[in-house]
């Protein structure tokens, strides 16, 4: 096997998935907690949550197209970024992270929010009655009681980011050793008939996904 061709997409994918999963975990935890704080019916809350979950049901290419419009050189975000850093957002390693974050966020958010909802509110109220502030309640009560869904949310976010294809291809492209992830590498290799590399990368991504799902299922069952 040509290791010089095999390893770069694996390294890029793992780097993207690790960074994206950390960002997704932090964002999903904060947003889920904020939505729990606003759990009483409020105008617009259901609309906001629907928007947050949209990438879960939209085709990844649609998500990628929207991100391309929002972050491209003709958008104000892309223009401002380019003037500050002298480079574009799109077709960079960072763009692959952004795509993975957007696509993986809904899955992690739903899992983490479900974990927070399972925490007995009377336990949290008892802590508040003892003088604990919201951060202390969250840190010492909510998080320890919801640690399994929190870990499961991170794992699912990692696995989803690792397998992202459509949005990554649209926003980050398929540049070898820069933005070429395992899914885009498999696509390219299969198109040119390099089945050895294709199967090798397929085996890697299946192995990663199997391990992630097995850990997540074990956390749910324990």
């Amino acid at each position: 096997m040509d290791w010089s061709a095999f390893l770069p997409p694996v390294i890029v994918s793992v780097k993207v998935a690790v960074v994206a999963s950390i960002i997704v975990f932090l964002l999903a935890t904060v947003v889920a907690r904020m939505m729990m704080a606003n759990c009483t019916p409020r105008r617009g809350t259901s609309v906001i949550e629907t928007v947050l979950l949209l990438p879960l049901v939209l085709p990844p290419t649609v998500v990628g197209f929207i991100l391309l419009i929002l972050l491209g050189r003709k958008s104000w975000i892309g223009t401002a970024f380019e003037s500050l850093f002298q480079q574009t957002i799109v077709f960079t390693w960072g763009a692959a992270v952004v795509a993975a974050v957007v696509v993986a966020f809904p899955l992690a958010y739903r899992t983490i929010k479900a974990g927070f909802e399972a925490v007995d509110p009377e336990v949290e109220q008892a802590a508040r009655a003892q003088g604990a502030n919201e951060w202390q309640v969250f840190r010492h009560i909510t998080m320890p009681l919801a640690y399994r869904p929190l870990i499961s949310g991170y794992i699912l976010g990692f696995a989803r980011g690792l397998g992202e294809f459509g949005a990554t291809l649209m926003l980050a492209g398929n540049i070898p050793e820069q933005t070429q992830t395992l899914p885009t590498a498999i696509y390219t290799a299969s198109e040119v008939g390099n089945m050895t590399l294709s199967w090798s990368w397929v085996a890697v991504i299946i192995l990663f996904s199997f391990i992630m799902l097995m850990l997540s299922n074990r956390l749910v069952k324990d």
Side-chain angles (χ1 to χ4, degrees):
M1 179 184 293
D2 184 0
W3 290 100
S4 62
F6 171 78
L7 287 176
V10 177
I11 295 170
V12 171
S13 286
V14 171
K15 285 169 60 180
V16 167
V18 168
V19 174
S21 62
I22 292 172
I23 296 172
V24 164
F25 175 78
L26 294 175
L27 283 176
T29 301
V30 171
V31 174
R33 188 60 180 177
M34 289 173 62
M35 295 298 288
M36 287 293 296
N38 296 322
C39 60
T40 54
R42 287 191 179 184
R43 195 174 186 179
T45 300
S46 61
V47 175
I48 293 171
E49 188 158 42
T50 301
V51 171
L52 293 174
L53 295 175
L54 262 180
L56 191 64
V57 295
L58 285 175
T61 50
V62 173
V63 175
F65 176 78
I66 294 171
L67 289 174
L68 192 60
I69 297 300
L70 292 175
L71 305 177
R73 299 186 72 174
K74 294 183 179 180
S75 70
W76 69 266
I77 298 175
T79 302
F81 186 90
E82 189 170 359
S83 65
L84 287 173
F85 300 101
Q86 284 72 56
Q87 68 174 27
T88 61
I89 300 175
V90 298
F91 303 120
T92 63
W93 181 83
V97 173
V98 171
V101 167
V102 173
V103 173
F105 173 84
L107 193 59
Y109 168 76
R110 289 188 67 181
T111 305
I112 291 171
K113 189 184 177 197
F116 288 159
E117 289 173 340
V119 175
D120 188 348
E122 293 185 2
V123 178
E124 295 177 317
Q125 289 287 22
R128 293 187 184 98
Q130 295 297 318
N133 58 39
E134 288 303 316
W135 167 246
Q136 289 171 327
V137 171
F138 180 68
R139 180 182 176 187
H140 298 290
I141 304 296
T142 309
M143 287 191 71
L145 291 177
Y147 81 94
R148 285 194 178 102
L150 284 169
I151 297 173
S152 183
Y154 173 81
I155 290 171
L156 292 175
F158 180 92
R160 184 65 188 88
L162 186 71
E164 167 49 32
F165 172 73
T168 301
L169 188 63
M170 292 283 291
L171 189 66
N174 187 20
I175 307 169
E177 300 186 20
Q178 294 183 43
T179 65
Q180 188 178 65
T181 59
L182 281 168
T184 56
I186 292 168
Y187 173 76
T188 301
S190 62
E191 272 205 323
V192 299
N194 193 337
M195 301 310 293
T196 301
L197 267 179
S198 295
W199 275 113
S200 300
W201 287 323
V202 165
V204 170
I205 205 165
I206 288 175
L207 178 62
F208 270 115
S209 300
F210 178 83
I211 293 172
M212 295 295 101
L213 286 175
M214 186 173 65
L215 289 173
S216 179
N217 289 335
R218 184 167 295 180
L219 283 168
V220 172
K221 291 178 181 178
D222 287 347

